[in-house]
Each structure stands twice: as structure tokens, then as C-alpha cells.
Amino acid sequence: MKQTNYHLFDFMDFDPSLEKDERLWKAYAPTKIQERDGDIVVTIPYQQQLHQEDMAPDTSAPQQSYDLIIRAYSPNIIRLFTTMSGDEMVEQDDMLQFALEVKRMPLRYVDGDIIAVNGKKVATINLSEPKLDHWSDLLPAPQPAPFITFFPDGNENKGIALSDDHFSPPRYDALPLGYCSVGCCGTATHKTERATISFKCTPDECFVGTGERFRKMDLSGQTFQLKNQDGQGVNNRRCYKNIPFYMSSRMYGCFYHTSDYCKLSLADHSTRSIQFLNDHATLDVFLIGGQDPEEILRGYHMLTGFPEMPPLWSFGIWMSRMTYFSADEVNDICNRLRQEHYPCDVIHLDTGWFRTDWLCEWKFNPERFPDPKEFVQHLKENGFRVSLWQLPYVAKGAEQLEEAKENKYIGPLLKEQASEGSNFSALDYAGTIDFTYDKAVDWYKNTLLKPLLDLGVTCIKTDFGENIHMDAIYHGMTPERLNNIYSLLYQRAAFEITKEITGQGIVWARSAWAGCQRYPLHWGGDSASSWDGMAGSLRGGLHFGLSGFAFWSHDVPGFHSIPDFMNSPLDEDVYVRWTQFGVFSSHMRYHGTCKREPWHYPNIAPIIKKWWKLRYQLLPYIVEQSEQSCKSGYPMVRALLFHHPADRQCWHIDDEYYFGSEFLVCPVMNSDNRRDIYLPEGLWVNFFTGERLEGGRWYYQVEVPLDQMPVFVRPGAYIKVYPDEVDCTDEMDLSKAITVEITKDYKGI
């Protein structure tokens, strides 16, 4: 749609020709405020607007009133719920998994203030008439509005106010609350759809989160469609992992509890407002207060769940490419890894372990993998776990197709499709497994995955899931409401059966929605093997971590080649620099469209082996930090702002990060072997050399040889390391870890 600069069209998605039978309804001032079962219920009348570009009340239509429920929880959470479509407010579903600490706090209404049972003011409702100094009737008076300000942590200096944002009364830029309808009001054809809520923001406010967003650190001035789709790389606006949660530099978080397609404008359509539009006419919003990002993110986790701890072996190195085609090929690679002492724990088989490449049938090719059980067990005896690729779609040629159709394990298609052959799309397949149907979930778990796990496979790569067949019928919900949350249902099923059979829960997943953080782990998708692919991956990981995900990885050294997607050779400096980045990530997997094993690049292989050995040396620290992340939900890869929220520089830095709480990592992402480095306030120590540098300043054009990467720690830090070289984690006894203290005499590791 071409931009019109009218809020009605550009944000509310109305037809610019005004030919559709749709109407906008604007929230007016409350008509009733009452206490009910510990909630405050505010009755909001809505006035239909004239069907025109400029907003004006259509007084021929009677007002419609809907309740806004205000509910408070400890610690520091306010919930706003209103529905024009008859939905119920729930406190547990696929997304919501309240922690025991989350407790209802009864509210009372006193002279415009909403007070919690502990005496904390959580909101004010301003019912006073606006002050006027009347001198002109050139423009109409502004329409009434609800003026409500919320204080989730009780701090009245940083209230979050509904926004009635307009230039002039007819020219609105945001609505405090509103919804759309189609059909004539009061008739059988009338129905509600699309609801909006907006909050005020300040001129210098910054925003982060919203999922694996491949953008700059501060998201202010951008609008996002929260609709999961194949990202097709890590440098565009498409997104595998949309999470309806953002964090503000004013120290609050906002979680929109929905799986619907929605839109979020962070000071974009208007720099005065944060605007949210839900395709379904229900708004369920959690405002989370806190003194710092750690407290806010913990509040989000207490609503949606904490991650489980991945197994030790998963923190080792994973080796893969797209793809290995036979047991002999895999055994040759694994034998060479051991013979040349490249430490490695996981061998991943991508699309080629089936009868036909990409034809997912959840069974090994009997010719190229004649004895799958012996193959998997032999690798396990040699210290290698096996991870297998698959997807949640059933192909037209798959042996399970008729069974899936007959039992409606896949959503029946309303029309047959012509597409066939892989273009990395769900539409290559005959149908999507229906995880809203308990019998389909059981079939997926016990018929498709369990036999593989019984062989000794330890991880399922739950690829795809961000797209589903939209022209299909699903048991539990419409395709439009299922699309975003599908990844959660899909990954949960694979995680649960893996944990049941192997005793250790893990998946390797690409798509995500709110709640998926409970089922680690996720990787960043199909990045280009290039500097911009590496930079985009890190940006996505930083925002993803600020969206509630503790564990995140990426394909080293990028997934696909440039310019020939499948066949262009890798740049060796990209391979090295991405390896260094991978060492300081929660998980580390080599994968892509051409050779990934280091011996194919003899000029840099010694450098790669050195960094692999460092990865295993750091595993005690990584495990320790991961265990803490499972309790707190804090990301392993953390934006600088996480620990330095008062440092305005850190809200704009997206090429450095904390790895756990101790390491500050500055990956090099260019061929010049130089980079600018920002160190926050205080003294910093180069982890590799012991050099001491003062923080609170930039260091420009720092030279970094190819075999080095700037990594800093604080004086007095304690870093657990493993003292012996190993070939895999099976050879490790973490009780033997030693602690390196960063003293004044520290000279580097």
C-alpha cells in the first residue's frame, strides 16, 4: 500500500478507496469505574467515526461500550484486557505459564487513583475536563478520550499513559483505544475486527526486543508486522521469530498476549506514540516494571516461562553441512575429527538422510544408511551425538501421506496446489502437521520421532514452522491465528518426546513465538556467509535475547554462499572471524551449503583448531552461566545495555556483547582486521593479553590480527576453565575445572 499519511490507512489498514464496508470506533472517556473481584473495571464507550479520511464522530451511530479490565500482579505487573469479540481473560494457556511468584494483587479505586492492596499506586484515571482558553471555532473540539496512566512498579515518575495523539482533532496519529468493524451496526452482518492500543513515548526513548530483529539496536522509528515467515536471510525485514514483547529505555516492558497477526509501531507513525494493532478485536497487554533490564526480563519470564537447561554435550561443537548423504561419509568425517584432535560432540545430518534429498519421511535411506542403529551407536561410542533434520510438513511423495490425510494429522487443504520441488517453502509440501489436534501430536511424537530417538538420536532439528498452509482446516483454530503460535506447539512436541526418550530435552529450532524460550534451543536461520550476514546474525541474536531467549546460536560461518547460493567458495577470513564469534555464543554449530570441515581450508585450519580448543576450555564457565540463565532467563548473548542501561551509548551498540556476565566480546566483522571498540565505564582487562584499559570511552581503529579477537573481563572476575585438552565432553569431569582470577598480575590465558 502506498503511504497516505493518514493514520486510518497507514496504521489501521483501512482501504484507501473507502470502498469497503468497514468503520473505525474511537474510545471516549470512561462512563463507569467499579471494583470487581479485585480488578478495576473501566467501562469505555466507543464512538463510530465517519467513513472518511479525516476523523470525525458519526453521531448517527449509537455508542458501543466495552469494559477495560485492569488487573495487578506482584511483582510489578499490570494487565490490561478488553475484548470486542467475546474472548475470556485466562491466566494459563500455551503462552502464559505463570511462575509461583506471580500473585494477584487486589485493587481499589479512590478519587481517581487505582491502589493495590500493598498501598502502591498502579494507575490514575483523569476524568477532569481539559483546560481551555477559547478564542476560535476554526476547528472542532477534540473528541473525548480515556486519560489513564499506569505505574507497574509504583514509580510515578515514569508513568505509561494511553496516547490520544493528534495534530488537530480531525488528524489523528494514534488512538488510546479503538477497534474496527464491518457491516452495519446493530445488524446480523455486523462484526468486530482489529483493535488498537497506544501509549505515549518520549522524544529520546529507545526500544529493543520484538524477536530476532535484524535491525540496529534502537528500534525507535520502525514499524513491524508481527507475522512469522521465512526470513530468507538475516538482513531484511522478514523475521523467523517475532515475539510480541518490547523493552523501553524508560525501564518498562510490554508483552502483548496474542498469537494473532499484529502490527507494532515504535515511535514510527508518530514519534509521540507506541502503537499496537491486533487483527483480532481483543487486547491483552502486560506492562512490566523494573529498575533495570534484568528485572523487567525476569518479569516477562515469570509470565511466559523459563528455559530448561540443555545437556552438557550440546555446548560442544556441532559439525554439519547441507548435507551428508551416507553413513560412510559421516564416519569418515568423524574419524578424521578424532584423529586430528578437533574437539567435537555432535554430528548433524541435514536434508540428505532420507530416501530422497528433502523428501522428509522420518526414516533413514536403507541403502546409504543400511544399519541406522549400529551407525548411531557407533558414533555415540566415539563421543558423537546425532542430530537429525526434519520439518513439520508431509510431502506429496512421502509414505506417511495417506495415513496423515486419512486421520487428519495434517490440516486438509481446501484446494490442491501445483508447487512441487524445494524452494525452501512450506508450499512444497502436501500439508502441515496439525499440532492443535491431540491425535496428530501423538502421531508425530510416537510414530515419527520416537523410533529415531530409540535408535539413539539425541536431537531433532525442528526446522521451518514459521509458515503453515493457510488454505487448510485445523482442529483448534483458524490458520491466521495458528500461524504465529505454530512454532510453539511444534517445538514443544519434539522437546517433550526427546526428553521422555533420552532423558534430556533439546531441539534445534528456527522459528519462535512467545513461550518458545521454554524449549531450547534456537538458531538464527539462513545467513549469508559474509560480513553483513555475520553482523545481521549478531543483531538478531541481541534482540532475541532481549525478547526472553537465553540460548541462541547461528550457522558458522554463515549458511549460504555469495553470490552463488550453493556453490561459491567461502572466504577464509569470514570463516575465522565467525568461528571466534561462535566460541562466545551459547551453542556452536558449523553448517551451510558447501564444505564446513576445517581441513578443507589448510591456510586457516591451525587457527580454527586453536579456537575450538578454547571453546572446550571455557565449557565450565559456559555451563555455569547457562545454569544461571535457566533460573533468571537472562540471555547468554547479552546486549551491552543489559548491564549498562544508564549508558546512552549502549542503547545503540549492536556489534559488541556480553557473553554471560563476565566476558565483553568485540567480534571483528571486516577484512581490514580493525574495529572500533567501546568499553563502558570502569577498568577492563584484555582476557588474552592482560592489557588494562580504561572504560567510558571509544578506542578507534584497533588493529586485531586474524588469529585474535578482543575479549575483555573486569578486574576481580573469576572464570572457570577446564585444564585438560579433550576430544569431546564425554572426556570431561567438570569437578576438575579450575578458576582463573583476574588479578593485578594477570597476563592473559
Side-chain angles (χ1 to χ4, degrees):
M1 183 181 75
K2 294 180 179 179
Q3 182 170 300
T4 68
N5 292 320
Y6 285 92
H7 172 261
L8 186 70
F9 307 130
D10 293 345
F11 188 74
M12 297 299 296
D13 291 339
F14 270 64
D15 174 21
S17 71
L18 296 172
E19 293 179 357
K20 290 185 178 178
D21 185 15
E22 54 187 348
R23 296 293 185 273
L24 175 67
W25 297 76
K26 181 188 182 299
Y28 273 20
T31 56
K32 183 190 296 184
I33 303 169
Q34 57 185 324
E35 301 172 19
R36 188 173 69 199
D37 298 329
D39 298 329
I40 300 300
V41 180
V42 184
T43 301
I44 304 284
Y46 291 80
Q47 181 63 61
Q48 181 173 293
Q49 302 295 298
L50 292 173
H51 199 44
Q52 60 186 34
E53 293 175 342
D54 284 329
M55 284 181 57
D58 182 355
T59 56
S60 68
Q63 292 184 351
Q64 304 293 308
S65 291
Y66 297 98
D67 287 340
L68 173 66
I69 300 173
I70 301 174
R71 180 172 292 179
Y73 304 88
S74 62
N76 302 328
I77 297 170
I78 297 174
R79 185 178 191 179
L80 314 176
F81 181 88
T82 187
T83 181
M84 300 84 183
S85 54
D87 292 332
E88 293 185 5
M89 181 164 55
V90 300
E91 294 195 337
Q92 182 169 339
D93 61 11
D94 293 318
M95 284 173 279
L96 294 181
Q97 301 287 322
F98 283 9
L100 294 176
E101 300 96 317
V102 177
K103 304 291 187 183
R104 288 272 301 275
M105 289 200 304
L107 300 174
R108 55 194 176 90
Y109 180 66
V110 183
D111 298 329
D113 294 332
I114 299 176
I115 310 295
V117 68
N118 62 0
K120 181 175 71 175
K121 183 191 293 188
V122 301
T124 60
I125 302 177
N126 184 357
L127 297 174
S128 62
E129 294 292 329
K131 294 181 179 179
L132 296 175
D133 182 9
H134 185 80
W135 72 278
S136 173
D137 293 316
L138 179 64
L139 288 171
Q143 296 185 58
F147 294 105
I148 309 176
T149 304
F150 305 96
F151 314 105
D153 58 5
N155 186 342
E156 297 180 43
N157 294 318
K158 58 173 190 178
I160 307 161
L162 294 179
S163 177
D164 192 53
D165 183 352
H166 58 275
F167 164 67
S168 65
R171 296 287 173 94
Y172 276 81
D173 290 322
L175 300 179
L177 290 161
Y179 70 94
C180 305
S181 68
V182 296
C184 296
C185 184
T187 68
T189 61
H190 181 259
K191 66 177 182 176
T192 59
E193 60 176 42
R194 304 203 305 277
T196 186
I197 186 170
S198 303
F199 300 107
K200 291 182 180 179
C201 62
T202 61
D204 61 347
E205 194 166 349
C206 300
F207 304 95
V208 295
T210 77
E212 190 185 37
R213 197 64 60 190
F214 308 122
R215 300 295 182 93
K216 296 285 190 181
M217 198 73 254
D218 176 19
L219 300 176
S220 177
Q222 300 189 57
T223 296
F224 302 108
Q225 304 283 343
L226 300 184
K227 176 186 181 299
N228 281 359
Q229 54 190 309
D230 190 334
Q232 298 178 7
V234 298
N235 297 98
N236 57 67
R237 66 173 58 192
R238 294 183 294 268
C239 191
Y240 305 102
K241 309 174 185 70
N242 288 279
I243 308 298
F245 170 81
Y246 71 82
M247 191 184 304
S248 162
S249 60
R250 291 204 298 125
M251 289 301 103
Y252 78 90
C254 186
F255 169 50
Y256 299 96
H257 172 225
T258 183
S259 67
D260 297 302
Y261 295 151
C262 40
K263 184 191 296 189
L264 179 62
S265 172
L266 299 171
D268 180 18
H269 284 262
S270 168
T271 60
R272 296 178 292 219
S273 301
I274 303 126
Q275 302 179 64
F276 178 78
L277 179 67
N278 194 4
D279 260 10
H280 186 68
T282 293
L283 297 166
D284 193 6
V285 183
F286 291 84
L287 298 173
I288 305 165
Q291 303 306 306
D292 52 44
E294 296 184 25
E295 190 175 351
I296 294 165
L297 204 56
R298 181 168 177 79
Y300 172 72
H301 279 282
M302 285 193 288
L303 294 174
T304 60
F306 291 83
E308 291 199 32
M309 181 67 181
L312 171 62
W313 56 261
S314 74
F315 295 101
I317 289 170
W318 301 44
M319 178 52 65
S320 172
R321 67 167 98 146
M322 188 185 139
T323 177
Y324 300 133
F325 285 104
S326 71
D328 289 342
E329 182 183 17
V330 171
N331 286 326
D332 287 345
I333 289 169
C334 291
N335 289 338
R336 186 163 182 179
L337 286 166
R338 290 290 181 259
Q339 290 164 5
E340 300 187 14
H341 298 291
Y342 286 95
C344 183
D345 267 81
V346 184
I347 192 78
H348 171 71
L349 279 61
D350 218 60
T351 65
W353 60 281
F354 309 113
R355 175 168 49 91
T356 303
D357 188 18
W358 278 95
L359 183 66
C360 177
E361 294 181 293
W362 294 273
K363 292 184 178 180
F364 281 92
N365 182 305
E367 295 179 357
R368 292 184 278 111
F369 296 89
D371 190 342
K373 187 173 183 64
E374 190 279 333
F375 166 71
V376 172
Q377 292 301 322
H378 172 73
L379 290 173
K380 175 64 170 61
E381 291 167 3
N382 203 17
F384 291 98
R385 272 73 175 178
V386 173
S387 165
L388 294 179
W389 177 91
Q390 51 85 81
L391 35 58
Y393 318 120
V394 179
K396 288 184 178 179
E399 68 174 63
Q400 298 91 351
L401 179 59
E402 291 309 313
E403 177 189 13
K405 281 185 173 181
E406 180 180 346
N407 294 282
K408 297 186 178 179
Y409 297 149
I410 58 176
L413 298 181
L414 298 176
K415 60 181 179 180
E416 288 297 319
Q417 55 195 32
S419 177
E420 190 66 47
S422 177
N423 64 356
F424 303 99
S425 168
L427 297 181
D428 293 339
Y429 299 90
T432 299
I433 298 175
D434 184 0
F435 288 103
T436 70
Y437 183 35
D438 57 351
K439 293 183 179 179
V441 173
D442 181 73
W443 176 73
Y444 174 74
K445 285 181 171 183
N446 292 297
T447 301
L448 302 184
L449 297 192
K450 185 177 182 296
L452 300 171
L453 298 166
D454 285 339
L455 293 175
V457 171
T458 55
C459 181
I460 300 299
K461 178 179 174 180
T462 47
D463 203 358
F464 292 78
E466 59 280 311
N467 291 325
I468 64 174
H469 287 84
M470 300 304 294
D471 57 344
I473 300 171
Y474 300 95
H475 282 76
M477 59 186 75
T478 64
E480 291 77 15
R481 305 201 77 182
L482 175 61
N483 192 166
N484 281 333
I485 203 172
Y486 184 83
S487 55
L488 173 57
L489 309 181
Y490 167 36
Q491 291 157 27
R492 180 173 64 192
F495 186 95
E496 288 177 346
I497 190 64
T498 301
K499 185 175 182 179
E500 177 186 331
I501 301 301
T502 71
Q504 297 175 318
I506 190 171
V507 293
W508 188 275
R510 187 172 77 173
S511 57
W513 190 254
C516 281
Q517 75 274 1
R518 302 192 295 266
Y519 312 110
L521 57 106
H522 295 76
W523 101 98
D526 296 341
S527 53
S529 182
S530 62
W531 299 122
D532 51 28
M534 184 176 170
S537 293
L538 177 53
R539 287 174 178 171
L542 293 177
H543 281 295
F544 196 50
L546 292 166
S547 304
F549 286 75
F551 301 105
W552 168 84
S553 188
H554 41 89
D555 287 343
V556 183
F559 172 70
H560 70 90
S561 299
I562 295 292
D564 187 309
F565 191 93
M566 300 294 291
N567 303 306
S568 293
L570 296 174
D571 288 336
E572 292 187 350
D573 52 352
V574 173
Y575 191 108
V576 172
R577 294 302 191 188
W578 211 314
T579 291
Q580 295 165 348
F581 170 34
V583 167
F584 288 87
S585 302
S586 84
H587 289 77
M588 187 175 181
R589 183 183 77 156
Y590 285 78
H591 186 62
T593 57
C594 60
K595 299 179 182 70
R596 291 298 186 266
E597 300 78 25
W599 50 79
H600 294 295
Y601 308 92
N603 293 333
I604 59 170
I607 300 175
I608 300 304
K609 183 181 288 187
K610 181 189 78 169
W611 284 89
W612 283 26
K613 290 181 181 295
L614 174 65
R615 171 73 181 188
Y616 279 75
Q617 192 176 1
L618 293 175
L619 281 184
Y621 168 82
I622 295 171
V623 169
E624 177 188 60
Q625 293 290 312
S626 296
E627 289 173 342
Q628 293 176 13
S629 288
C630 289
K631 297 173 183 176
S632 64
Y634 305 159
M636 285 291 289
V637 172
R638 303 176 190 171
L640 298 192
L641 66 89
F642 193 81
H643 291 299
H644 306 281
D647 187 336
R648 294 172 66 91
Q649 296 263 18
C650 292
W651 287 85
H652 301 275
I653 294 175
D654 56 21
D655 62 352
E656 301 179 17
Y657 62 96
Y658 274 90
F659 182 51
S661 58
E662 303 297 341
F663 287 118
L664 194 162
V665 184
C666 306
V668 177
M669 295 186 281
N670 59 64
S671 298
D672 300 329
N673 293 330
R674 295 177 179 272
R675 66 156 294 152
D676 297 341
I677 295 173
Y678 179 75
L679 296 178
E681 198 71 35
L683 185 63
W684 293 90
V685 181
N686 187 305
F687 181 62
F688 297 114
T689 68
E691 179 185 9
R692 282 155 170 75
L693 297 172
E694 284 292 336
R697 57 162 293 187
W698 284 94
Y699 292 85
Y700 293 102
Q701 291 296 295
V702 177
E703 185 173 352
V704 186
L706 183 62
D707 66 339
Q708 300 176 25
M709 180 175 69
V711 177
F712 299 92
V713 290
R714 292 286 199 183
Y718 293 90
I719 309 295
K720 285 187 177 181
V721 299
Y722 202 72
D724 304 322
E725 290 191 4
V726 298
D727 285 333
C728 65
T729 58
D730 284 352
E731 300 175 3
M732 300 180 80
D733 176 358
L734 292 184
S735 67
K736 295 181 179 180
I738 61 175
T739 300
V740 175
E741 182 181 358
I742 311 302
T743 66
K744 59 182 177 61
D745 300 319
Y746 179 76
K747 301 300 181 184
I749 192 168

